[in-house]
Amino acid sequence: MDGFWIVLTGFLVASSTGMLGNLLLLRKMSMMGDALSHAVLPGIVIAYLISGSRASFPLLMGAIIMGLLTTFLIHFFSNKGKIQGDAAMGTVFTFLFAIGIILVTKYAGQADIDADCVLHGELAFVPLQKSSYLGIAAPDAVWTLLLLFTLIQLVFWVGYKGWLLTSFNSEYAASIGIQTALWHYSLMAATSVATVVSFESVGAILVIAFLVVPAATAFLITKDLKRMVMVIIVQGFLSSLGGYMLSNILNASISGSMAVISFVGFSIVFVVKKRGLKSIP
Amino acid sequence: MDLLLKYIILEDPNVRFVVVAIILLGAVSGIVGSFNFLRKKTLIGETVAHSMLPGVLIAFLLSGVKSPIIMILGAALSGWMSIWLVDYITHKSKIKSDSALAIVLSSFFGLGIVLLTMIQSSFSGNQSGLDHYIFGNAAAMTPEDSTAFAAVCLIVFLLVASSYLSIKATIFNSDYAQSIGISRRKIDVLISILTILTISVGIKAVGIIMMSALLIIPPTASRFWTDRLVPMLIISGCFGALGGWLGSFISYYETNMPTGPLTIVCVSLFAFVSMMFAPKKGIIYQRWNKLLLRRRINEENLLKAAVQNEVRGKGKLFDRAQINKRQYFEQKLWNRTINRLKNKGFVYKVHTGYTLSMTGRNYGADIDRRHKIWEVYLQRRMQMSVHLVHDEAETMEHFLTPEIEEEILGELGLCSRFNPLLEIHEIIPDPDIA
């Protein structure tokens, strides 16, 4: 049963972050996931220090605020400071991460928090904390991620037209009066939320992997947004299952194994696609 | 004070290694990062740094010892693989480089975590300290590490110095560089080698993220101060070194403060200060310049309108209502502009209105002449229609220098005493006459 919950958790993370990663990939902003997952650290630590508890809600708020601040700062640096985009991103998130690490180290004595536990959440512990709603006893993480999953489905499908337009052709979207900045910031907000909620249970590295690898796999296969989502969900499920099995064999981190398997999936599609293209001249 | 002195003369032998190593690391990564920055591949450092984790761990698994040289070799190898893989993915598929970077980063790092947890669960003794490669631990540096550091720094400096010109040519104009026989491939490989060397020695001291930050932030900061390569390399190196020095000092002075992150915060502060205050490219300078330009344009517009007023025989006195027929000024803007012109001696207040001074009249006439010269030029040389030239000239009149004016007149075959007022009347109907 533990295995089931772990695979389900991985799958939920993969499908929620994967759908956002899809939009990030189309906007050529894939490294944003990496940037956000590092940059929210000071937000989490400050929220923890203020609230004094490891309850999810304050930490979540701290992280989301910090995520939006990161987006804003990157925008400010590249627009007002005229720094090239990737350097602006690199400067902002490494700076914020450094602040986060300093805070963690400084208050390590009085707080039950360390960089390790924030960044490398462990999937193996997911089944330990359970609570039941509607007569079903499921791990806390599954409930939270289920909520996140629903939320992201809602955001994605309700705004489907907007996402489609702003992702594939933002200039055209702007010209017909769509608030591209608003969509951009909504996507960033959603990414911050998803990143933070997920890496509480699976760790930052798997979040970064699931943000980009399934989306990239889907992008290799199709350019249709709906089909991409389907590929992402399948890829996410297979990676979670395969990763769990691999980690059992190797007796190693489940999150890391899932990231590795997800890359294996990507590589297979990559090779097949490349061979396929060669055989059809 | 005592502490500062003790720190500066490096009395404490434990501190000596750390400080010298961090300063060297800052300088080297500032220089190497500049190359990546200028090639717009700033984030490659982030991916390479993360990708080194599995290499380090495999090196440890195979050798069973934590010798710095073997670890650096392992790190360098997997760093090299990551760069190759990013290039391969971007060249062989439609996936863009940012996604390729993220894919390689997350999968290599994931593999690293798998290996790390495997080692932690199956080895018992000597594996502590391996996670220093993730977050870095400057205090745990040994003299051996410092020696490895110095050696790598020397190699990097020598490599940069020996092929400086080829690197420069390739970065700024790779087509030209290829045409004079410099292999782009070779320079790519060279820059990759520099990046990998720097990161592979640096990660143990400051950790993955801090290492990539050291490659990103100093070049970003130094870019605000110069447009030339050598000064940029020097400034960037200095920012890195200074940041390293300050960071290690604060962490020595305050307990419970990690060196790597402090270094990054210091370097970031340099970047913020540069972005705000740097001459020419800083935000404040640019804002100020824009304001000055706007002011100048308003003044010139007002003077020009006043001169036109005189030329059309409306008398030497003018006020806001009269000027507004030609060039609209809001009350506030009018007050500010006319006051500045008064202070500069371009206009005088004469009881009910204003009148132009000699210099003001000449200035305004100059602007008017430039406007008309540009109109004539656009019509004769660019074959633009009469109705379109006015708006174009409205902006150009503020930017034509006397030299350009002379050149245009030469181009049009007119002498410098050409009086556009006489010529232009036939082309542009005067609103007053019409």
Side-chain angles (χ1 to χ4, degrees):
Chain A
M1 200 58 190
D2 281 0
F4 170 74
W5 292 126
I6 287 169
V7 173
L8 181 63
T9 312
F11 169 69
L12 285 175
V13 170
S15 39
S16 344
T17 56
M19 287 171 85
L20 298 174
N22 198 357
L23 301 173
L24 290 175
L25 180 117
L26 293 172
R27 282 150 202 255
K28 302 188 180 67
M29 292 172 65
S30 292
M31 284 299 271
M32 204 64 200
D34 178 53
L36 278 177
S37 58
H38 287 107
V40 295
L41 181 62
I44 295 176
V45 181
I46 292 170
Y48 176 76
L49 291 174
I50 292 173
S51 72
S53 77
R54 284 188 71 171
S56 302
F57 187 70
L59 301 198
L60 200 62
M61 283 334 278
I64 292 165
I65 291 168
M66 199 47 85
L68 289 177
L69 183 72
T70 311
T71 319
F72 169 77
L73 277 178
I74 292 174
H75 191 74
F76 179 81
F77 271 45
S78 57
N79 264 35
K80 295 283 187 292
K82 308 242 159 46
I83 302 177
Q84 61 197 46
D86 54 346
M89 184 191 280
T91 305
V92 170
F93 87 79
T94 50
F95 166 70
L96 289 173
F97 186 74
I99 300 254
I101 294 282
I102 289 175
L103 287 175
V104 167
T105 327
K106 188 82 193 153
Y107 296 101
Q110 65 190 78
D112 166 35
I113 191 164
D114 61 47
D116 242 353
C117 86
V118 175
L119 288 174
H120 309 138
E122 186 45 77
L123 262 167
F125 301 142
V126 161
L128 296 182
Q129 260 190 333
K130 283 188 188 168
S131 37
S132 35
Y133 300 99
L134 309 167
I136 305 164
D140 288 351
V142 169
W143 290 117
T144 339
L145 286 170
L146 212 54
L147 195 68
L148 175 77
F149 180 75
T150 325
L151 199 74
I152 286 182
Q153 294 304 320
L154 214 65
V155 168
F156 189 89
W157 295 113
V158 167
Y160 183 76
K161 272 244 165 74
W163 294 126
L164 199 65
L165 280 170
T166 51
S167 309
F168 283 103
N169 197 343
S170 73
E171 271 146 41
Y172 170 68
S175 75
I176 60 169
I178 293 176
Q179 296 276 344
T180 45
L182 190 71
W183 288 91
H184 173 78
Y185 276 94
S186 322
L187 177 60
M188 289 304 129
T191 311
S192 317
V193 175
T195 311
V196 176
V197 173
S198 313
F199 77 47
E200 219 189 342
S201 41
V202 302
I205 188 59
L206 189 56
V207 175
I208 301 169
F210 276 165
L211 260 173
V212 62
V213 182
T217 315
F219 187 64
L220 284 177
I221 296 176
T222 171
K223 261 198 163 173
D224 183 280
L225 198 53
K226 280 179 185 154
R227 283 203 201 125
M228 278 176 85
V229 170
M230 271 160 58
V231 179
I232 287 168
I233 289 179
V234 173
Q235 220 277 21
F237 174 70
L238 292 179
S239 315
S240 315
L241 192 65
Y244 179 67
M245 279 154 42
L246 181 73
S247 77
N248 269 349
I249 298 167
L250 295 178
N251 193 15
S253 150
I254 304 173
S255 308
S257 310
M258 285 183 179
V260 171
I261 292 295
S262 139
F263 179 69
V264 171
F266 170 80
S267 312
I268 292 171
V269 172
F270 189 93
V271 170
V272 168
K273 263 284 165 191
K274 217 175 129 249
R275 284 282 155 77
L277 284 177
K278 260 187 195 159
S279 67
I280 308 160
Chain B
M1 199 58 229
D2 213 26
L3 206 60
L4 181 67
L5 196 69
K6 207 171 150 193
Y7 176 82
I8 289 175
I9 58 173
L10 300 176
E11 199 180 85
D12 191 339
N14 294 325
V15 176
R16 201 176 302 157
F17 300 122
V18 178
V19 175
V20 171
I22 297 277
I23 290 177
L24 279 175
L25 179 66
V28 169
S29 39
I31 291 168
V32 173
S34 298
F35 296 133
N36 285 324
F37 179 93
L38 291 172
R39 292 196 310 164
K40 302 216 163 39
K41 290 185 176 171
T42 317
L43 292 175
I44 190 87
E46 169 81 359
T47 296
V48 172
H50 278 90
S51 305
M52 282 181 176
L53 187 63
V56 169
L57 297 171
I58 289 174
F60 171 75
L61 276 175
L62 291 182
S63 69
V65 285
K66 276 186 291 177
S67 134
I69 301 296
I70 293 175
M71 305 289 237
I72 286 175
L73 271 177
L77 264 175
S78 71
W80 182 259
M81 270 188 69
S82 73
I83 289 188
W84 177 83
L85 205 55
V86 169
D87 274 350
Y88 188 78
I89 292 176
T90 37
H91 284 141
K92 300 285 171 176
S93 75
K94 53 186 178 173
I95 288 175
K96 301 284 177 296
S97 68
D98 65 311
S99 310
L101 285 173
I103 292 168
V104 173
L105 181 156
S106 57
S107 4
F108 272 62
F109 196 70
L111 183 63
I113 296 290
V114 168
L115 291 171
L116 187 67
T117 42
M118 266 172 71
I119 292 171
Q120 278 167 350
S121 64
S122 55
F123 282 72
S124 45
N126 186 25
Q127 93 272 8
S128 69
L130 282 177
D131 51 354
H132 288 168
Y133 284 92
I134 298 179
F135 293 112
N137 190 346
M141 279 190 2
T142 60
E144 244 176 290
D145 287 326
S146 296
T147 323
F149 248 85
V152 166
C153 291
L154 197 67
I155 296 172
V156 169
F157 280 127
L158 286 178
L159 281 177
V160 171
S162 66
S163 37
Y164 167 74
L165 281 177
S166 332
I167 296 180
K168 183 176 175 181
T170 308
I171 285 179
F172 289 110
N173 193 341
S174 68
D175 292 334
Y176 166 73
Q178 269 196 320
S179 76
I180 59 167
I182 298 167
S183 155
R184 191 187 310 180
R185 182 87 202 109
K186 260 189 200 159
I187 299 300
D188 273 350
V189 170
L190 179 67
I191 295 179
S192 303
I193 290 177
L194 293 176
T195 313
I196 290 166
L197 267 179
T198 315
I199 300 177
S200 58
V201 295
I203 45 172
K204 197 189 165 195
V206 294
I208 288 168
I209 303 294
M210 301 310 142
M211 195 53 238
S212 48
L214 270 182
L215 286 168
I216 298 169
I217 304 176
T220 309
S222 76
R223 190 67 186 82
F224 283 103
W225 298 91
T226 175
D227 279 329
R228 302 177 53 82
L229 183 58
V230 172
M232 177 167 171
L233 293 179
I234 294 173
I235 295 173
S236 174
C238 288
F239 274 147
L242 199 63
W245 185 77
L246 276 173
S248 49
F249 174 67
I250 300 171
S251 96
Y252 177 67
Y253 194 74
E254 289 265 332
T255 52
N256 247 347
M257 289 289 235
T259 314
L262 277 172
T263 303
I264 300 314
V265 171
C266 293
V267 179
S268 309
L269 290 182
F270 297 151
F272 300 147
V273 170
S274 307
M275 184 174 74
M276 294 313 289
F277 301 106
K280 300 234 168 91
K281 293 187 183 180
I283 290 179
I284 290 181
Y285 180 92
Q286 297 238 333
R287 282 274 162 88
W288 176 242
N289 235 13
K290 243 184 214 165
L291 182 74
L292 287 187
L293 178 66
R294 241 193 346 256
R295 281 185 177 176
R296 185 167 68 86
I297 288 178
N298 282 331
E299 287 165 18
E300 290 183 354
N301 280 342
L302 203 157
L303 286 176
K304 186 185 71 178
V307 166
Q308 286 172 343
N309 211 40
E310 268 184 31
V311 171
R312 306 281 186 262
K314 301 277 162 140
K316 299 214 166 201
L317 275 185
F318 63 90
D319 55 18
R320 182 169 159 247
Q322 251 169 332
I323 295 294
N324 272 356
K325 281 183 198 156
R326 300 187 166 277
Q327 185 87 38
Y328 184 74
F329 281 91
E330 267 177 34
Q331 185 67 50
K332 256 190 188 166
L333 187 65
W334 167 266
N335 289 345
R336 267 181 298 184
T337 313
I338 202 87
N339 276 336
R340 278 202 307 275
L341 287 173
K342 223 164 45 184
N343 293 340
K344 286 180 184 173
F346 287 143
V347 298
Y348 298 119
K349 173 125 179 105
V350 181
H351 48 101
T352 54
Y354 296 89
T355 183
L356 286 164
S357 75
M358 200 60 191
T359 46
R361 185 171 298 117
N362 286 341
Y363 192 177
D366 276 347
I367 301 295
D368 199 34
R369 195 178 65 249
R370 280 176 203 149
H371 179 101
K372 274 151 193 164
I373 286 175
W374 193 248
E375 283 185 338
V376 172
Y377 177 74
L378 286 181
Q379 285 181 42
R380 292 203 185 161
R381 290 286 143 149
M382 304 290 168
Q383 319 295 338
M384 275 174 74
S385 124
V386 181
H387 314 287
L388 299 175
V389 292
H390 175 75
D391 289 341
E392 292 276 330
E394 273 295 291
T395 38
M396 275 311 285
E397 66 190 16
H398 304 290
F399 300 103
L400 288 179
T401 59
E403 294 80 37
I404 301 179
E405 195 185 323
E406 200 68 25
E407 222 169 283
I408 294 176
L409 287 176
E411 172 95 21
L412 292 170
L414 300 165
C415 72
S416 54
R417 263 182 288 162
F418 155 74
N419 186 350
L421 287 180
L422 300 176
E423 173 112 353
I424 211 83
H425 268 284
E426 305 146 24
I427 313 173
I428 308 253
D430 191 300
D432 292 339
I433 298 168

